[in-house]
Each structure stands twice: as structure tokens, then as C-alpha cells.
């Protein structure tokens, strides 16, 4: 962030600007320009009718606007709102006719401007007719006038009669705008009966959608900072009613900060605020006006909490009539009734006395338990609120089981956590449910709330020693899946093994996790010995699920170490077709996905895809979200290695956003770094490689060191590359893990040769050759052959050519098209330059999307003076970006300078400057910082 002094945002103190009503405002203004006219504006409470007509009145500068509001009085005054309006019209009266004298007694403010009162007629009907004529004639005397009547649903009957009379034959300069709520009309129509109005128009104000809600919140806080998720949460809570939206935002503790909230935090912030006072008062006022029967229905709906059928609401309320008479409840979907907005429901529920609220919850349990299927989670909530402890526990367990079957582990964990938090829960139930909760937690995605729930169990004094040990085990396994928690996870596993030392069948998973080669500093030999100790337990485990759980860790661990015996051990896994138990299916999915990952690291890419297909299918059967996540990360890396780069960046972005701080994202960052480096996006590549190597996860960290070194070498920074090479090679030496050398050995040899350390290059090649003896490592062997060719290039050209051909063939057999193409370019050598060969290589790089490599080949062609004419002729791109302009735009969007772009694309800075101008023009970007690609 910059070091300047930004002006802090603050919430607008006055009303927010009107949002989303431009079309309606334009319609009103158009209507008054063609007087006489009548416009009815319909909309529910809080939708913004008053705000609209107020803005309209302010915009009518060429004619008189007279506004009046009807009020909800027990007995309305006859002609009340009309007299209020006319009393404001002292100025501007032009020769009012004799009949207007009938209004002298009603309008003392105008008495001296009106003719004398006419004599009484003695006939009430005649007197009323003369009154109607007087109002119309007075309006005519005002000239061009707009009469705005707000809340017409509360008007008295006499006012409605006068309006019908005036609208039937309106004065030529008169426009009438009237707002109303349909749900509060006494006779269903704004004028008490259906009337044909020749110059009439009807506008219906709809609640806001998410975009309008977001715009309104931004207007309130004075900046475009509202997150999409927060706007969606406010929309759900307020039903998009502008008045409720505004009051809700102003009720936030820190609106400018809170409106930026994303994910579940957005809803939690809204749940944590008090209902705004003005909104609560409006709701209570409406509820107080209801008859007792209708109020009972509304109270039942508030306690039920979600839209329900008329039958269910009526049964809970004990009153089947008056379901929608109040205008408070609406039919959200066919025969499902609920509140217009969640805020109203909260107000009604909070206003209920405790005994009444408990009574309704008890009725809800009785009614909902009779439904098929029963809504278990809702029954649990109602039972708890009713104080029915036994029923609450029963329904929570049933709901958790249902959530697991529905592949929603997080909900299952939440349900059992709520029960375990009850200090009155028995010791027996506590230990049983704690074990079950941990099982649910491990099937879903770890991190955040789920991991915190499991950790919270450790503070419960009711846990038995063996259950406490098992909770330490599950907690450790969860932590080892998160970035930044690896060491702590290992400590928890060690503690679990100590606590459960006399129960090897329960510690098996912890021992297997500790034996794995992916974490820690143990050597390959130590990893193999530890895996062997764990494997000796397998046949003694009591259930097939436990045996498969252990094999899922040990088989992948052996294979990623290049142990050839792993292939025979794979036969111990059951056939997917024979497995039915969900727990066993979950662990079999883990086994296949772990084997796929191991194959992808050592070079068995075809087998990796086979394991991956089976593993993902199994994981999706039981909603093993974390297993699916690891599989998706492996698939991304496989696609990179095999040259399937289309859409890869978008997939990586989506997966990183989905899996957040989980350890599997280190794999995604590695692939992102490789992809960015091939495109010349140095900043993005460096950030990605650093993120991949930050947590000492193997083999990711070794490959990240190789990727960083390769990128720096391509930029001529051999000394900086050497630091990363030394770090990566040190890991290979300390662990004896030469099986993982495929992603760093070529960069190490290139780096040592670039800095003049030929002996170091020979030594690392010799160490790798020795370390691969008896090891199943196709990728490392292919890389070793390429490095031997590189060393031979300066001594024996024939031997080098033979070795390069062998290395290229090995890489192509593995399906590594990008690396095979790089070797073919390297084999061409710096001294010999065949333009046709280099052109073919450049086109191969282009097909992959390897921008830097393609540019390097073309630069080599240009440096010899050779030309490679286009086979199709040069096409024009018009307003579209050419391929080269796309490369420049991508690097501009990544924040690169012209010098860096020139270096990445092997162009002169002058040429880059010309491309930048073209890109900005075609993308309509005012500066290079506004280029987004």
C-alpha cells in the first residue's frame, strides 16, 4: 500500500441519492408535460414511493407542485388531504369562480381570496356536488399545477369521491400524482372503485435487485467498496426495500468497513446488528393494527422462520384464517407464505413474550414432526428453543446424519458442535458425539470454522482419555492440510500417538501421516523404514475402512519415493466396484488420488490420469471435498506438464479462491509460477514460486526452487538463480530424494555452467545418477539424460547430439511437449542457427502459449538476418489486439515496465513503446495502469 494520506471514508449523513428509479422519474416528468394527466404510483411499504415523488417535485421547476400526505387516523377528516393541499395555494389564484366560495369555511387561509360563500341548498347530496365542483374550479384557477397525494390508501372516502369527479373532467393544466400500497387499500382499488381515467398511467415500484442494493450501499458510504456477497446478504435480509436497506446499513457498527465483508462474514455481520429503530417501529405499528387472529398467524410465521404452507402456519397458530389479510405475509412461492423481509420477521419474533414464544416453538415441533420427510435441522432448532432437551439432542444427531448423507460435512459439524457446547450434556453423549464430529470434519474441507470446532473439543473436561487422544489425532490431520500449521499438526499427531500408545489400531493413521515423505526433514531411507513399520499394522486392523485408510497414505508415500515395490502393493486395494461403505469409499478415493499425485511427480503421467479419474469419481460419491481438491490441483499440474494450457490460469484462480489456505494450494501456486514464467510475467511468477516454496512441502518446494532458478536464468540473473539452485539441491542431498530432481536438475546444471562451476554441474549429475539406482523415476531419468547432453555439448558434439535425441525422445514419450521443445531448441545450439528449424520451434511454442520461448526463437532468427515469410500473408486486426499486442497487454496488466516487457519479448524498448500506445488505444485505456487483460 502507498504511504500517502488518504481521506477516510465516512457514511453520508443525509439521505442517500435516489438509486434505480431513473425510468420512473422520467415517466412522471413526461406525464406532467402533457397535462391533464393522472399517474398512480404503486408499491409496498419502504419501496421508495415518497422518495420518488419528492425527487419528482424538486425536478418540476416550470409549474406549481402541491404535496399532501394521507395519514392512518382512526377516523379520517373528510377531504383532509385535499384541503391540506389547497391551503398552500394562496399565491397564484386566477379569478376563482363563484362556486369556489363553498370552500371559504374549509380554507380560512384563502378566505380573503375566495368569493362569498353561496347560500345553503338544504340538500346534502346537492351540497356535496357543489363541494366537488368548488374543488375542481379552484384547481382550474391555479393554472398549470401538479397535485401530489402520498399514501392514498389512507385517504377518506370523500377525498376518493372528489378525485373520481375531478379526474373524469380535469382542468386542462392539472396533473395528479398519487402513491399507494395495494395491500392497504380498503376496497382493492386506489379510488374505491374501478374508474376509467382517459389520461391515466400506472407505475409499479419494484424492490431493488442485487445490483441496485450494491449501488445504494456504495452511495451511503460514499465509495464503490461494497462486496458482491455483502450486497446479496442485504438483499436477502431486506427484500430489496430501499428504506430497509438504508436503515440496515446505517445500523452497522462500522459501515465503511463492514460493507466490504465477503463470504459468510457478510451474513454474520447482518445477524449481529439490532433491527433499526425506524424499521422496527414501522413493523410494530402494522402488527398492532391487526386483529387478534391475524396477529396469531403472523407470530406463528415469525417463529417458524422460513416460508411455510398455509396448513403448517395455520396449525402452529391455531388459526387457519387471515393468512394474508394483514399484508405482512406474502406468498413467496405457490402455497409458501413468509415475511416480505427478514427484518420484519426478527421484529415480530423479538416482540413475543417468552412463554408465548416457547408455546409456538412447542407447536412447531408437534406440527413439523408429522411432515414427511421431517425437516430435521429445523426440528432441532425448535426443540432447543422450546426447552425440549431430549428432542433437541435426538433431532441434532438425525440432522447431522442427514447432512452427511447429503454431502454437507460442514453443517453436520455445526449441528454437533452446538450440542457439545451444552454443559448439561452427559459424559457418555459428549464422548460419542465428539468422535462422530471428528469423523465428519475429516470428510469435508478443513480450515476456518471446522478446524476450530475440533480444536474446541480439546478444552472439554468431559472427554475420556482415549477420546481426547483421538481428537488430537483428527485435529493434527486437519492441521496438516493447512498452510502455516504443518509443525503444529505434527505436534498434535505425536501427542495423539503418545495418548493412544496401547491402541495401535487407533494410532495407525497418525503414524502413517508422520511417516509420509511430503513433510518434515526425514531422509528417504527414514521415510521408507517408517512406512514399513506402519504397513506391518495393516493386516491387524479391525475394519476394511481402516485398512484402506492406511494404504491410502502408505502407497502414495512409497510411490512418490520411487519405490518399485509400490506397484505390487497397489493390488492390496479393493476394487471400486466392490466397495459400498461410505468411509471405505472415502479412503479408497484418497488412495487413488494420492497415487495419481505420486505418479505425476515421478513421471508416470498416463497412470496418473487413470488413478485420477477413478479417485475423483469415488470422492464425488461421498462428497470428499478435500480429496476432490487435491485431485483438481494434481490435474492442473498434469495439464501444464502435458501442454494443455488453455484456460489453465482461470482454473488456478478459481481453485485458489475455493481452497484458500489449504496446503494443496502450494501445488497450484507452483503451476501458476511455471505458467507465468513461460509468458514473461516475472512478478506474478516470482510471487507464485515463493508461495509454493514457503511451507517446506515436498516435492513442491524443490520444484519451486527449480522454477524460480529457471526464470532468473532466462533473465540473465545467474547469481540470483544460484541461490535457489543451492537451496533445492541441498534438500535433495539431505533427504537423498534424487527421485524428485526432474524439476530442478536441468536448471542446476545450466546455472552452474553459467557461473563457471563446471565441476559442480558434473557432481550433481553424478549424484543424481547414483541416487536413481533402483528407483522408479521416469521424469528424473529423462532430465538426467538432458543434463548429460548439456555437459557433452562443449566436448563431444556427436555425443551431445545423440544424448539430445535420446532426451527429446524420452520427454516426448512422457508427453512433456514443452520440455521436449525446449530441448530441441537447446540442441540447435547457439553457434548453429537454422531459421526454418527455429521458426518451427517458435510456432510450437506459440501453440502452447509459451510467449517468452517463442520470442526468443524469433529473436535468434532476426539476429542472423534471416527472414521467415508468413505462409498465409499478414492479416489485419483492426480494433482487435494482435497476438503480439495481447502479449504486451498481458504484461502491462501485470505491472511490468517497458524495459521488462522488452526483455521478456526480446524487443527494443522503442518497439514496446509503440505497442503500448496501440494497446491503450484499442482497449480505450487512459493510462498504462488502466490496462486490464
Amino acid at each position: 500500500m502507498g504511504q500517502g494520506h488518504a481521506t477516510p471514508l465516512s457514511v453520508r449523513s443525509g439521505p442517500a441519492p435516489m438509486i434505480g428509479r431513473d425510468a420512473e422519474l422520467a415517466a412522471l416528468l413526461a406525464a406532467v408535460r402533457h397535462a391533464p394527466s393522472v399517474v398512480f404510483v404503486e408499491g409496498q411499504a419502504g419501496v421508495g414511493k415518497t422518495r420518488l415523488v419528492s425527487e419528482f417535485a424538486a425536478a418540476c421547476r416550470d409549474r406549481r407542485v402541491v404535496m399532501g400526505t394521507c395519514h392512518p387516523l382512526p377516523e379520517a377528516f373528510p377531504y383532509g388531504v385535499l384541503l391540506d393541499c389547497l391551503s398552500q395555494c394562496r399565491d397564484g389564484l386566477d379569478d376563482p369562480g363563484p362556486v369556489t366560495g363553498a370552500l371559504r369555511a374549509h380554507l380560512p387561509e384563502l378566505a380573503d381570496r375566495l368569493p362569498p360563500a353561496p347560500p345553503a341548498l338544504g340538500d346534502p347530496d346537492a351540497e356535496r356536488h357543489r363541494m366537488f365542483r368548488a374543488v375542481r374550479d379552484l384547481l382550474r384557477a391555479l393554472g398549470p399545477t401538479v397535485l401530489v397525494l402520498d399514501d392514498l390508501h389512507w385517504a377518506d372516502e370523500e377525498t376518493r369521491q372528489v378525485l373520481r369527479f375531478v379526474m373524469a373532467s380535469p382542468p386542462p393544466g392539472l396533473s395528479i400524482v398519487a402513491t399507494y400500497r395495494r395491500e392497504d387499500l380498503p376496497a382493492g382499488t386506489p379510488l374505491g372503485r374501478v374508474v376509467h381515467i382517459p389520461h391515466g398511467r400506472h407505475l409499479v415500484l419494484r424492490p431493488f435487485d442485487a445490483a441496485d442494493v450494491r449501488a445504494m450501499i456504495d452511495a451511503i458510504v460514499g465509495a464503490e467498496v461494497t462486496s458482491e456477497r455483502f450486497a446479496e446478504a442485504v438483499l436477502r435480509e431486506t427484500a430489496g426495500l430501499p428504506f430497509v436497506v438504508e436503515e440496515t446499513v446505517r445500523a452497522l457498527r462500522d459501515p465503511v468497513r463492514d460493507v466490504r465483508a465477503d463470504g459468510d462474514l457478510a451474513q454474520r455481520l447482518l445477524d449481529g446488528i439490532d433491527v433499526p429503530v425506524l424499521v422496527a417501529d414501522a413493523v410494530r405499528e402494522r402488527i398492532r393494527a391487526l386483529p387478534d387472529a391475524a396477529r396469531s398467524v403472523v407470530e406463528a410465521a415469525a417463529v417458524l422462520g422460513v416460508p411455510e404452507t398455509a396448513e403448517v402456519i395455520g396449525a402452529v397458530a391455531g388459526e387457519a384464517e387471515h393468512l394474508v389479510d394483514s399484508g405482512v405475509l406474502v406468498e413467496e412461492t405457490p402455497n409458501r407464505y413468509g415475511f416480505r423481509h427478514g427484518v420484519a420477521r426478527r421484529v415480530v419474533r423479538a416482540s413475543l413474550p417468552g412463554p408465548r414464544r416457547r408455546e409456538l416453538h412447542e407447536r412447531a415441533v408437534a406440527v413439523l414432526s408429522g411432515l414427511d420427510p421431517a425437516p430435521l435441522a429445523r426440528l432441532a432448532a425448535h426443540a432447543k428453543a422450546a426447552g425440549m432437551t431430549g428432542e433437541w439432542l435426538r433431532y441434532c444427531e438425525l440432522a447431522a446424519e442427514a447432512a452427511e448423507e447429503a454431502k454437507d460435512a460442514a453443517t453436520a459439524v455445526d449441528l454437533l458442535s452446538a450440542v457439545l457446547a451444552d454443559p448439561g450434556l452427559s459424559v457418555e453423549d459428549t464422548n460419542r458425539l465428539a468422535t462422530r464430529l471428528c469423523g465428519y470434519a475429516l470428510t469435508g474441507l478443513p480450515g476456518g470454522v471446522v478446524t476450530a470446532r475440533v480444536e474446541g473439543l480439546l478444552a472439554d473436561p468431559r472427554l475420556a482419555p482415549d477420546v481426547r487422544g483421538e481428537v488430537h489425532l483428527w485435529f493434527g490431520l486437519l492441521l496438516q492440510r493447512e498452510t502455516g500449521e504443518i509443525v503444529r499438526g505434527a505436534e498434535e499427531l505425536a501427542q495423539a500417538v503418545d495418548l493412544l500408545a496401547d491402541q495401535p489400531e487407533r494410532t495407525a493413521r497418525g503414524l502413517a501421516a508422520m511417516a509420509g515423505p511430503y513433510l518434515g526433514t526425514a531422509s528417504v531411507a527414514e521415510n521408507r523404514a517408517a512406512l514399513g513399520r506402519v504397513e506391518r499394522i495393516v493386516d491387524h486392523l479391525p475394519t476394511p475402512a481402516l485398512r484402506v485408510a492406511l494404504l491410502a497414505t502408505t502407497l502414495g508415500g512409497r510411490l512418490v519415493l520411487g519405490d518399485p515395490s509400490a506397484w505390487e502393493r497397489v493390488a492390496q486395494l479393493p476394487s471400486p466396484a466392490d466397495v459400498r461403505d461410505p468411509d471405505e469409499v472415502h479412503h479408497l478415493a484418497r488412495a487413488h488420488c494420492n497415487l495419481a499425485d505420486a505418479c505425476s511427480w515421478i513421471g508416470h503421467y498416463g497412470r496418473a490420469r487413470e488413478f485420477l479419474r477413478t479417485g475423483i469419481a469415488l470422492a464425488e460419491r461421498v462428497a470428499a471435498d478435500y480429496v476432490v481438491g487435491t485431485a483438481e490441483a494434481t490435474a492442473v499440474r498434469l495439464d501444464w506438464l502435458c501442454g494443455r494450457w488453455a484456460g489453465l490460469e482461470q482454473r488456478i484462480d478459481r481453485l485458489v479462491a475455493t481452497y484458500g489456505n489449504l496446503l494443496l494450494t502450494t501445488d497450484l501456486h507452483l503451476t501458476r509460477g511455471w505458467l507465468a514464467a513461460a509468458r514473461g510475467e516475472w512478478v506474478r511468477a516470482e510471487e507464485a514460486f515463493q508461495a509454493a516454496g514457503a511451507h517446506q512441502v515436498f516435492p513442491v518446494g524443490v520444484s519451486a526452487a527449480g522454477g524460480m532458478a529457471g526464470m532468473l536464468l532466462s533473465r540473465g540473473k545467474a547469481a540470483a538463480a544460484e541461490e535457489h539452485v543451492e537451496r533445492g539441491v541441498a534438500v535433495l542431498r539431505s533427504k537423498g530424494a534424487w527421485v524428485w530432481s526432474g524439476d530442478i536438475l536441468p536448471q542446476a546444471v545450466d546455472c552452474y555452467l553459467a557461473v563457471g562451476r563446471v565441476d559442480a554441474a558434473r557432481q550433481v549429475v553424478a549424484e543424481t545418477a547414483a541416487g536413481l539406482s533402483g528407483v522408479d523415476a521416469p521424469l528424473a531419468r529423462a532430465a538426467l539424460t538432458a543434463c548429460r547432453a548439456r555437459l557433452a555439448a562443449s566436448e563431444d558434439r556427436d555425443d551431445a547430439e545423440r544424448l539430445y535425441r535420446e532426451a527429446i525422445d524420452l520427454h516426448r514419450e512422457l508427453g512433456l511437449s514443452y520440455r521436449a521443445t525446449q530441448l530441441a531448441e537447446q540442441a540447435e545450439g547457439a553457434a548453429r542457427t537454422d531459421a526454418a528449424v527455429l521458426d518451427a520451434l517458435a510456432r510450437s511454442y506459440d501453440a502452447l502459449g509459451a510467449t517468452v520461448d517463442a520470442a526468443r526463437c524469433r529473436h535468434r532468427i532476426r539476429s542472423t538476418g534471416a527472414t521467415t515469410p508468413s505462409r498465409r500473408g499478414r492479416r489485419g486486426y483492426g480494433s482487435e489486439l494482435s497476438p503480439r499486442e495481447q502479449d504486451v497487454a498481458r504484461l502491462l496488466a501485470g505491472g511490468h515496465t517497458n524495459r521488462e516487457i522488452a526483455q521478456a519479448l526480446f524487443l527494443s524498448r522503442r518497439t514496446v513503446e509503440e505497442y503500448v500506445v496501440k494497446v491503450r488505444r484499442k482497449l480505450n485505456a487512459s493510462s498504462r495502469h488502466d490496462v486490464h487483460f
Side-chain angles (χ1 to χ4, degrees):
M1 298 181 65
Q3 300 300 312
H5 299 283
T7 301
L9 299 176
S10 59
V11 176
R12 183 186 297 272
S13 58
M18 189 172 69
I19 300 294
R21 302 301 189 204
D22 291 346
E24 291 84 352
L25 179 58
L28 289 175
L29 292 170
V32 302
R33 286 195 294 269
H34 298 87
S37 59
V38 177
V39 182
F40 289 105
V41 180
E42 176 186 340
Q44 58 185 283
V47 81
K49 302 181 298 298
T50 301
R51 179 61 186 277
L52 173 63
V53 295
S54 297
E55 294 286 339
F56 159 72
C60 284
R61 299 185 180 89
D62 58 346
R63 63 198 64 222
R64 181 199 304 266
V65 178
V66 184
M67 296 186 67
T69 301
C70 304
H71 299 284
L73 302 174
E75 293 192 18
F77 301 118
Y79 314 110
V81 68
L82 291 175
L83 297 176
D84 286 346
C85 288
L86 294 174
S87 68
Q88 305 171 37
C89 300
R90 178 177 177 82
D91 298 329
L93 280 176
D94 183 16
D95 191 22
V99 73
T100 61
L103 295 171
R104 285 179 66 100
H106 299 281
L107 295 171
E109 299 91 343
L110 308 184
D112 61 337
R113 306 294 304 276
L114 297 177
L121 297 174
D123 181 349
D125 290 338
E127 294 280 3
R128 185 167 63 255
H129 180 257
R130 186 165 64 183
M131 185 74 168
F132 291 1
R133 289 178 55 215
V135 171
R136 184 175 63 188
D137 204 54
L138 189 58
L139 290 170
R140 179 182 291 110
L142 291 174
T145 299
V146 180
L147 184 63
V148 178
L149 306 175
D150 201 14
D151 292 335
L152 192 62
H153 47 275
W154 284 324
D156 57 279
E157 178 57 29
E158 288 83 355
T159 293
R160 291 193 176 89
Q161 291 175 3
V162 171
L163 289 175
R164 292 200 295 266
F165 180 83
V166 171
M167 290 176 186
S169 179
L174 177 65
S175 293
I176 299 176
V177 176
T179 74
Y180 69 91
R181 306 177 197 161
R182 181 166 296 278
E183 64 269 21
D184 285 332
L185 291 172
T189 61
L191 297 180
R193 65 178 64 175
V194 178
V195 178
H196 174 67
I197 302 172
H199 309 286
R201 181 165 183 186
H202 196 100
L203 299 179
V204 179
L205 294 192
R206 306 294 182 190
F208 282 171
D209 60 16
D212 287 332
V213 168
R214 192 176 188 180
M216 183 172 191
I217 298 173
D218 285 340
I220 293 170
V221 300
E224 295 181 4
V225 294
T226 306
S227 74
E228 184 177 349
R229 293 293 294 274
F230 188 84
E232 290 170 353
V234 172
L235 176 61
R236 287 193 302 270
E237 190 73 9
T238 66
L241 297 176
F243 167 67
V244 188
V245 171
E246 181 169 0
E247 293 301 315
T248 298
V249 172
R250 294 188 187 282
L252 293 168
R253 186 183 301 275
D254 185 346
V256 175
R257 178 200 64 194
D258 294 346
V259 301
R260 305 168 193 255
D262 221 335
D264 295 338
L265 176 59
Q267 188 61 54
R268 291 201 301 273
L269 285 171
L270 293 177
D271 292 341
I273 64 173
D274 294 331
V275 175
V277 174
L278 293 178
V279 177
D281 288 346
V283 173
R284 292 191 193 102
E285 181 181 5
R286 177 173 288 273
I287 300 304
R288 280 196 298 268
L290 296 176
D292 290 345
R295 192 181 308 117
S296 294
V297 168
V298 170
E299 291 171 351
V303 167
L304 284 166
V306 298
E308 261 299 354
T309 64
E311 293 77 15
V312 168
I313 296 175
V316 174
E319 171 58 64
E321 304 294 330
H322 307 286
L323 190 61
V324 292
D325 289 355
S326 64
V328 177
L329 302 183
V330 294
E331 190 175 16
E332 295 197 8
T333 58
N335 196 31
R336 292 276 173 178
Y337 297 88
F339 286 80
R340 292 184 184 278
H341 50 82
V343 175
R345 180 187 61 76
R346 290 173 60 191
V347 172
V348 175
R349 190 180 184 283
S351 67
L352 291 173
R356 171 63 173 163
R357 189 165 57 247
R358 179 167 181 162
E359 174 195 1
L360 289 172
H361 280 296
E362 289 174 350
R363 288 186 185 177
V365 171
V367 173
L368 295 178
S369 62
L371 300 182
D372 186 19
L376 298 170
R378 291 174 59 199
L379 279 164
H382 287 300
K384 182 179 181 181
M388 303 164 67
T389 305
E391 293 296 285
W392 171 49
L393 174 59
R394 182 169 72 88
Y395 283 125
C396 274
E397 287 197 66
L398 291 172
E401 291 173 7
E404 185 196 27
E405 291 175 6
K407 304 176 176 55
D408 186 0
T411 295
V413 169
D414 285 343
L415 285 162
L416 294 191
S417 294
V419 177
L420 287 162
D422 182 4
L425 191 67
S426 71
V427 171
E428 179 184 356
D429 286 334
T430 298
N431 285 278
R432 177 173 56 81
L433 295 181
T435 303
R436 182 176 292 185
L437 183 150
C438 290
Y440 291 152
L442 215 60
T443 63
L445 290 177
V449 175
V450 172
T451 304
R453 299 280 197 217
V454 176
E455 182 179 16
L457 295 176
L458 294 172
D460 196 324
R462 295 169 295 183
L463 292 185
D466 59 335
V467 174
R468 185 175 302 281
E470 203 158 352
V471 173
H472 277 291
L473 172 63
W474 298 130
F475 184 42
L477 292 172
L478 287 171
L479 289 177
Q480 288 214 320
R481 296 178 175 183
E482 298 182 41
T483 57
E485 295 288 1
I486 298 169
V487 174
R488 189 175 171 212
E491 293 171 352
E492 291 291 332
L493 291 175
Q495 190 169 354
V497 170
D498 288 342
L499 289 170
L500 301 172
D502 58 340
Q503 303 175 65
E505 72 281 359
R506 301 180 80 169
T507 61
R509 285 201 65 181
L511 291 169
M514 294 166 67
Y518 298 99
L519 307 171
T521 58
S523 69
V524 165
E526 291 170 326
N527 288 139
R528 284 178 176 162
L531 288 169
R533 289 192 294 272
V534 174
E535 286 165 340
R536 288 191 285 273
I537 304 174
V538 171
D539 292 336
H540 304 289
L541 294 175
T543 67
L546 275 175
R547 289 194 288 274
V548 175
L550 217 62
L551 289 171
T553 301
T554 59
L555 290 176
R558 279 204 178 274
L559 191 58
V560 82
L561 294 176
D563 186 340
S565 72
W567 296 110
E568 297 176 7
R569 299 170 189 268
V570 170
Q572 298 177 49
L573 290 173
S575 167
D578 297 334
V579 177
R580 296 288 183 273
D581 175 65
D583 201 27
E584 190 176 358
V585 171
H586 174 220
H587 294 304
L588 188 59
R590 271 202 321 120
H592 279 265
C593 291
N594 287 349
L595 287 167
D597 186 63
C599 285
S600 72
W601 285 114
I602 64 176
H604 289 293
Y605 304 117
R607 290 186 174 184
R609 291 195 184 278
E610 292 173 10
F611 281 125
L612 210 54
R613 280 193 291 272
T614 305
I616 290 175
L618 289 166
E620 289 178 343
R621 275 173 56 184
V622 293
D625 295 336
Y626 184 78
V627 178
V628 171
T630 62
E632 288 182 307
T634 301
V636 162
R637 184 158 40 79
L638 280 173
D639 285 345
W640 154 262
L641 291 166
C642 298
R644 302 173 184 175
W645 297 2
L648 204 57
E649 184 176 12
Q650 291 74 21
R651 283 170 60 195
I652 293 171
D653 289 343
R654 175 180 61 81
L655 292 172
V656 169
T658 299
Y659 297 111
N661 67 330
L662 301 188
L663 204 60
L664 64 88
T665 58
T666 59
D667 205 342
L668 296 168
H669 287 304
L670 172 64
T671 308
R672 174 183 277 167
W674 281 337
L675 185 62
R679 291 175 169 177
E681 299 171 6
W682 311 130
V683 175
R684 186 176 178 85
E686 184 172 352
E687 291 174 350
F689 286 136
Q690 287 176 345
H695 301 287
Q696 290 298 300
V697 180
F698 306 112
V700 178
V702 174
S703 297
M708 182 76 87
M711 181 191 68
L712 292 169
L713 283 170
S714 71
R715 300 172 65 187
K717 299 183 177 182
E722 189 177 8
E723 295 179 16
H724 296 281
V725 163
E726 290 291 291
R727 186 165 62 251
V729 171
V731 172
L732 298 181
R733 285 177 175 143
S734 66
K735 291 182 71 72
W738 299 102
V739 63
W740 301 336
S741 61
D743 288 332
I744 194 171
L745 185 62
Q747 293 87 341
V749 169
D750 286 345
C751 180
Y752 289 144
L753 293 178
V755 298
R757 297 177 60 191
V758 178
D759 289 343
R762 295 187 184 283
Q763 180 182 349
V764 76
V765 167
E767 287 181 272
T768 302
L772 293 181
S773 177
V775 174
D776 182 10
L779 173 61
R781 292 187 187 282
L784 178 63
T785 303
C787 291
R788 284 171 169 161
R790 181 81 169 87
L791 289 174
S794 61
E795 300 173 354
D796 187 335
R797 178 175 295 179
D798 291 338
D799 192 35
E801 287 182 353
R802 177 186 62 79
L803 287 169
Y804 269 123
R805 285 196 300 272
E806 183 181 344
I808 292 168
D809 289 343
L810 286 172
H811 281 82
R812 283 177 176 160
E813 288 170 8
L814 292 175
L816 303 178
S817 55
Y818 179 45
R819 297 187 182 185
T821 304
Q822 287 180 314
L823 285 171
E825 181 191 353
Q826 196 176 85
E828 187 64 16
R832 301 178 301 165
T833 303
D834 186 324
V837 172
L838 289 174
D839 181 57
L841 291 171
R843 285 185 282 109
S844 296
Y845 285 134
D846 282 335
L848 286 166
T851 306
V852 172
D853 303 271
R856 182 178 59 247
C857 285
R858 293 194 172 95
H859 174 68
R860 289 180 64 184
I861 295 172
R862 291 194 302 271
S863 67
T864 65
T867 59
T868 53
S870 170
R871 289 163 175 75
R872 300 185 185 177
R874 193 174 185 86
R875 63 159 285 191
Y877 290 92
S879 61
E880 298 178 7
L881 296 177
S882 70
R884 176 64 77 211
E885 288 165 352
Q886 290 180 31
D887 294 336
V888 172
R890 185 181 296 109
L891 295 173
L892 272 177
H896 291 77
T897 65
N898 287 358
R899 182 178 61 80
E900 290 170 335
I901 296 172
Q903 183 185 37
L905 301 181
F906 295 89
L907 300 172
S908 69
R909 292 182 65 176
R910 178 66 178 272
T911 302
V912 170
E913 289 170 2
E914 293 172 356
Y915 275 123
V916 169
V917 171
K918 293 177 182 178
V919 167
R920 285 177 51 192
R921 184 181 69 249
K922 290 185 178 183
L923 296 182
N924 195 28
S926 58
S927 74
R928 64 187 298 124
H929 305 295
D930 296 318
V931 173
H932 303 287
F933 187 78

